[in-house]
Amino acid sequence: MNTSALRPAVPLLVLIIAGCVVAAIGNGVRTSFGLFTLPMAGDLGLSREGWGMAMAIQNLAWGIAQPFAGAYADRVGTGRTIAVGAAIYALGVFAMAFSPSAGMLALTAGVITGVGIAICSFSVVMAAFGRSVPAEKRSLIFGVATAASSFGQFAFAPISQGFINAFGWQSALIYLGMALLLIIPLSYALRGRTENPVGHADLPFMEALAKAWGHGSYRLLVIGFFVCGFHLAFINVHMPAYLVLCGMSPEVGSWAIAIIGLFNIAGSLLAGYLGSRLPKQMLLASIYFLRAIAIAAFVLTDPNPTTTYIFGAAMGLLWLSTVPLTAGLVSLFFGARYMGMLYGVAFLSHQIGSFVGVWLGGFAFDMTGSYDLVWYLGILLGLASAALHIPINERSVPNFSLKPA
């Protein structure tokens, strides 16, 4: 193998620190959007479905753009890609603060912000990590990147709620957009691209995707990742409003989101550690099964702040712990060269699930005045995804990128 593929353009520790900060800021801002549901919907006169549609479009735009963002980063370099993405992301958040209608919100908070998130997301950061560390350590380092994203969620949830309380939702969005601009100078440390082994040529996008999709375990992984997106997006966007509906204050929702982020630091690191020692597909099946149990326990009891925080801690341990394991399997199947693109395709499935979870939450509430239907569907989908992951075969695909130069 060409050893330059494993040699970072900057010291490895600097690259990891910069990538973790980028992941923390990007994910922290995104996961705080659910706190804006009630103030923005109230001031702008939006229905819950109208707000939910903008957030659903954001997740879908993120998912559609992610494979192309990953492929672009694979070819031209991670740092340049992330800098462009951060600028687009910040533009979307700034414009979101001045969007007076559901249609404009769908464009700014939905399309522009979603594309920006994709181009500077932790998925792209993980591609930089993947090319810079040996294969046997990738699962652990992916867990580190995911834990950093979770720390961003923990940090930004109370900060964002404090901004909303002190300055109003419009100024809060402006401050969050300014925080995103910090990603641009940090992206310099992530410059570089993954090289092919000597004697091999790049596969075109569709050819690489067709070869990957022919692998049955990859198909199961992609389909199962839909459920992860469904759970995360629905809870992120709609749980704060659900808790208010149950008689709790908005601060309970912000701290619940923060607790999820805090406990997912441990969950992501543990998943990355265990993923290098135990079968990743069985760990994923266990995570989805335990999510179904946690959701069932939460919705079948009388929600109060105590049970909410316990649920947040339980879900936090299981929250993004799927990411290092899923990314680790993609890297194991196909190697680091096409990691950005092929993990991006899996992530598209995740984001389609996010779209469905966010939109269906708003639609169900407007139709029934309750979120119960979506909670129960989340339980069933968790059990289904657990079953899907069990047959996955954890081994590399032979000669995936073999093509004469």
Side-chain angles (χ1 to χ4, degrees):
M1 175 177 284
N2 183 355
T3 56
S4 66
L6 298 177
R7 186 168 58 249
V10 296
L12 182 59
L13 180 60
V14 175
L15 183 147
I16 291 174
I17 292 173
C20 286
V21 176
V22 168
I25 295 173
N27 192 58
V29 172
R30 179 190 66 81
T31 53
S32 69
F33 287 152
L35 304 174
F36 292 83
T37 301
L38 294 179
M40 287 189 69
D43 286 356
L44 299 177
L46 300 174
S47 68
R48 203 64 59 85
E49 183 185 3
W51 165 262
M53 179 57 73
M55 294 296 102
I57 291 172
Q58 178 189 108
N59 282 283
L60 187 60
W62 177 9
I64 292 172
Q66 189 67 68
F68 300 100
Y72 184 75
D74 287 340
R75 288 185 177 275
V76 307
T78 309
R80 187 184 307 174
T81 303
I82 287 175
V84 171
I88 297 172
Y89 190 176
L91 174 63
V93 174
F94 286 139
M96 180 180 170
F98 301 97
S99 299
S101 65
M104 184 61 71
L105 203 63
L107 174 64
T108 58
V111 176
I112 298 175
T113 300
V115 170
I117 292 171
I119 301 175
C120 70
S121 69
F122 64 84
S123 302
V124 179
V125 171
M126 284 196 297
F129 286 0
R131 70 164 179 267
S132 304
V133 299
E136 65 273 11
K137 296 183 178 179
R138 285 176 190 154
S139 180
L140 177 60
I141 205 68
F142 292 158
V144 171
T146 309
S149 298
S150 300
F151 178 79
Q153 179 173 336
F154 168 71
F156 273 82
I159 290 172
S160 299
Q161 187 64 54
F163 283 163
I164 293 170
N165 293 342
F167 309 111
W169 61 265
Q170 192 172 51
S171 295
L173 286 171
I174 293 172
Y175 294 145
L176 292 180
M178 292 171 65
L180 290 169
L181 295 176
L182 297 174
I183 291 175
I184 295 176
L186 289 167
S187 67
Y188 181 77
L190 299 172
R191 65 193 185 277
R193 64 184 292 270
T194 307
E195 303 293 341
N196 255 341
V198 174
H200 296 83
D202 287 333
L203 293 176
F205 181 95
M206 292 308 298
E207 184 177 343
L209 177 57
K211 291 186 72 172
W213 194 251
H215 186 54
S217 291
Y218 179 67
R219 290 198 301 271
L220 291 174
L221 189 68
V222 169
I223 295 169
F225 214 21
F226 170 97
V227 178
C228 182
F230 183 96
H231 286 158
L232 269 59
F234 170 71
I235 292 172
N236 250 329
V237 173
H238 291 293
M239 189 172 74
Y242 170 76
L243 297 175
V244 171
L245 189 67
C246 295
M248 288 173 256
S249 70
E251 284 71 24
V252 174
S254 69
W255 280 111
I257 297 297
I259 288 171
I260 289 174
L262 177 63
F263 276 80
N264 192 51
I265 296 172
S268 299
L269 291 173
L270 181 61
Y273 174 79
L274 293 177
S276 62
R277 289 162 173 77
L278 298 174
K280 296 178 182 65
Q281 75 276 20
M282 297 308 297
L283 290 170
L284 283 165
S286 300
I287 288 168
Y288 286 111
F289 177 77
L290 291 173
R291 279 191 191 180
I293 298 301
I295 294 171
F298 179 59
V299 299
L300 294 177
T301 58
D302 184 26
N304 58 64
T306 300
T307 60
T308 297
Y309 296 149
I310 292 172
F311 173 69
M315 284 300 295
L317 292 172
L318 309 168
W319 194 247
L320 292 176
S321 54
T322 59
V323 171
L325 300 172
T326 301
L329 283 172
V330 173
S331 178
L332 175 65
F333 292 157
F334 309 117
R337 176 63 187 89
Y338 301 98
M339 169 83 189
M341 178 176 63
L342 294 177
Y343 177 74
V345 171
F347 198 74
L348 172 58
S349 174
H350 181 284
Q351 292 308 100
I352 293 173
S354 298
F355 174 88
V356 174
V358 174
W359 169 78
L360 188 60
F363 178 78
F365 181 83
D366 284 345
M367 292 296 101
T368 67
S370 170
Y371 291 105
D372 288 350
L373 173 66
V374 190
W375 284 117
Y376 294 138
L377 181 59
I379 296 169
L380 295 176
L381 287 175
L383 296 174
S385 186
L388 278 174
H389 281 81
I390 293 174
I392 289 176
N393 193 341
E394 188 178 354
R395 66 180 182 182
S396 62
V397 178
N399 300 331
F400 174 73
S401 62
L402 290 180
K403 183 180 179 182

